[in-house]
Amino acid sequence: MKSSTLSRNLGMRLTGVRWGLSRNVPVFTMAPSASARSLSEDDGERWFTPDIISLRQTSSFVFDENRIFGRDKDKDLIVEKLLSGEQRYGGTHVPVMAIVGMEGLGKTTLAQLVFNDLRMRQSFDNHVWVYVSERFDINTITRNIINSLTNRTCHFTELADLQEKLADEVKDKVVLLVLDDVWNERADCWELLCTPMLSARICQIILTTRSEEVARLVQTMPSHRPSCLSFDEGWSMFKQVAFPGKKEFDNPTNLIKIGKSIVQKCKGLPLTIMKLGSMLCYETDENIWDDVLENGFCSLKESHHENSPALDFS
């Protein structure tokens, strides 16, 4: 009975936790006050339900690199490859590197680190970040690229006008473009998107995707596949989120032991480590920690209505 009650409480906690790995900070949705809850039974539920679309939207902003673990080598490898002479010029095609891997691996975070690296900032005239997602709308993506380049809203609606405008904006420039979370597997759509970029003196594209098929379609150089975090990296990440501002020896030994078991079960996936660490932030009840260890990912799946490999917990 006690375990059942804890699991229900865990589920309620999780519906109030929102985590955008690309934002690098946990955001908690607060429950309404008692007076607000008296309005209707559904009001509280609406307060707890996160806006999934806004959570998935990404940007190039890195909140705090000190909260990111195990990606320095990946970043340096990508930067060095992109800036090497043989990768800078695509001739009749735009050079593309795909960062590919399963959900929760930190592809977007890695792309953000590369995008903001000082070497990359100094090597390109323009830096553009566009979040794509499942709907690969060429007009919308092209317009968003133009908006980023000009810092103004482009009102063109026809693809021909958009492509002409984009080609004009990048002409003879050195441009870095990041396309985050790409799912499109149609070569014709990809070619239409890239064609205006050929007018740039140099244009390089970094693309993140979960799909090996997408990576094979777009890449002009070997894809980069980030590895999972080591246990030490995962534990460092978990501690920073679950025990903010504390040294490890300042925390109860029993919670440290449970926390390490949780990290072990996360299998090195940053997203899952962050979600569970955020949920246990400032929590001192050992029963809650045990319940997360035993039921954490089941509750995550239920509260987020997800069936994701990133939430497999065994």
Side-chain angles (χ1 to χ4, degrees):
M1 183 70 178
K2 187 175 182 180
S3 177
S4 176
T5 302
L6 284 172
S7 295
R8 286 198 298 273
N9 291 337
L10 177 61
M12 289 301 290
R13 279 171 172 267
L14 287 164
T15 54
V17 175
R18 298 179 298 165
W19 181 264
L21 188 57
S22 62
R23 294 162 182 77
N24 307 307
V25 289
V27 182
F28 295 89
T29 304
M30 302 303 293
S33 64
S35 59
R37 286 199 300 270
S38 66
L39 295 175
S40 80
E41 292 183 356
D42 294 331
D43 287 338
E45 181 65 27
R46 284 200 296 272
W47 277 75
F48 276 98
T49 303
D51 181 350
I52 300 300
I53 295 176
S54 66
L55 288 179
R56 292 186 60 190
Q57 186 79 30
T58 68
S59 74
S60 62
F61 180 66
V62 176
F63 177 74
D64 183 1
E65 287 196 25
N66 292 324
R67 299 177 68 92
I68 302 171
F69 296 86
R71 291 295 176 242
D72 287 340
K73 289 183 179 179
D74 294 275
K75 179 190 72 171
D76 288 339
L77 281 171
I78 293 174
V79 170
E80 290 166 6
K81 187 174 292 187
L82 290 173
L83 297 183
S84 65
E86 64 268 23
Q87 305 295 352
R88 294 280 279 174
Y89 301 94
T92 59
H93 63 264
V94 179
V96 180
M97 172 179 281
I99 301 175
V100 59
M102 66 180 292
E103 179 187 7
L105 196 55
K107 300 181 298 297
T108 296
T109 300
L110 178 55
Q112 290 169 330
L113 292 175
V114 172
F115 187 91
N116 288 284
D117 185 87
L118 182 60
R119 291 164 291 180
M120 300 294 283
R121 304 305 294 182
Q122 294 175 338
S123 299
F124 294 86
D125 301 322
N126 297 98
H127 305 76
V128 180
W129 181 286
V130 175
Y131 174 70
V132 180
S133 76
E134 290 93 335
R135 188 167 182 263
F136 195 86
D137 186 298
I138 301 173
N139 288 37
T140 299
I141 298 170
T142 304
R143 188 180 300 109
N144 287 338
I145 296 172
I146 295 169
N147 292 344
S148 179
L149 287 167
T150 63
N151 290 317
R152 293 189 298 273
T153 301
C154 176
H155 297 287
F156 292 145
T157 58
E158 298 298 322
L159 181 58
D161 295 330
L162 289 165
Q163 289 185 309
E164 183 178 355
K165 174 67 173 174
L166 178 55
D168 183 60
E169 290 296 333
V170 301
K171 186 176 181 181
D172 298 326
K173 294 180 179 178
V174 182
V175 181
L176 173 66
L177 171 62
V178 173
L179 299 173
D180 187 37
D181 196 22
V182 177
W183 294 72
N184 169 65
E185 296 181 357
R186 288 183 51 179
D188 55 339
C189 292
W190 179 251
E191 290 172 4
L192 275 174
L193 178 66
C194 291
T195 296
M197 309 305 293
L198 292 171
S199 65
R201 181 161 68 88
I202 298 173
C203 176
Q204 290 188 307
I205 297 177
I206 301 172
L207 173 150
T208 72
T209 182
R210 302 178 200 176
S211 168
E212 290 286 350
E213 185 62 33
V214 171
R216 284 192 291 269
L217 170 68
V218 305
Q219 67 185 22
T220 63
M221 62 186 84
S223 297
H224 186 85
R225 291 167 174 78
S227 59
C228 293
L229 300 182
S230 68
F231 173 80
D232 288 341
E233 291 165 343
W235 175 237
S236 295
M237 176 182 286
F238 183 87
K239 283 191 300 183
Q240 192 175 77
V241 178
F243 308 119
K246 292 185 178 181
K247 302 293 184 182
E248 183 170 334
F249 54 77
D250 292 332
N251 298 289
T253 303
N254 54 337
L255 297 189
I256 295 293
K257 182 178 180 180
I258 298 170
K260 288 184 176 181
S261 295
I262 290 171
V263 171
Q264 194 73 47
K265 286 192 172 184
C266 287
K267 301 177 182 178
L269 289 176
L271 180 63
T272 55
I273 294 169
M274 285 291 189
K275 281 187 174 181
L276 294 181
S278 297
M279 188 186 63
L280 291 169
C281 182
Y282 299 116
E283 179 57 65
T284 59
D285 187 336
E286 184 177 345
N287 291 320
I288 295 293
W289 281 70
D290 278 329
D291 198 51
V292 170
L293 177 60
E294 297 302 322
N295 307 301
F297 277 66
C298 293
S299 298
L300 274 175
K301 286 185 175 183
E302 290 172 3
S303 63
H304 292 275
H305 307 288
E306 296 176 5
N307 183 20
S308 164
L311 298 183
D312 286 340
F313 196 46
S314 61

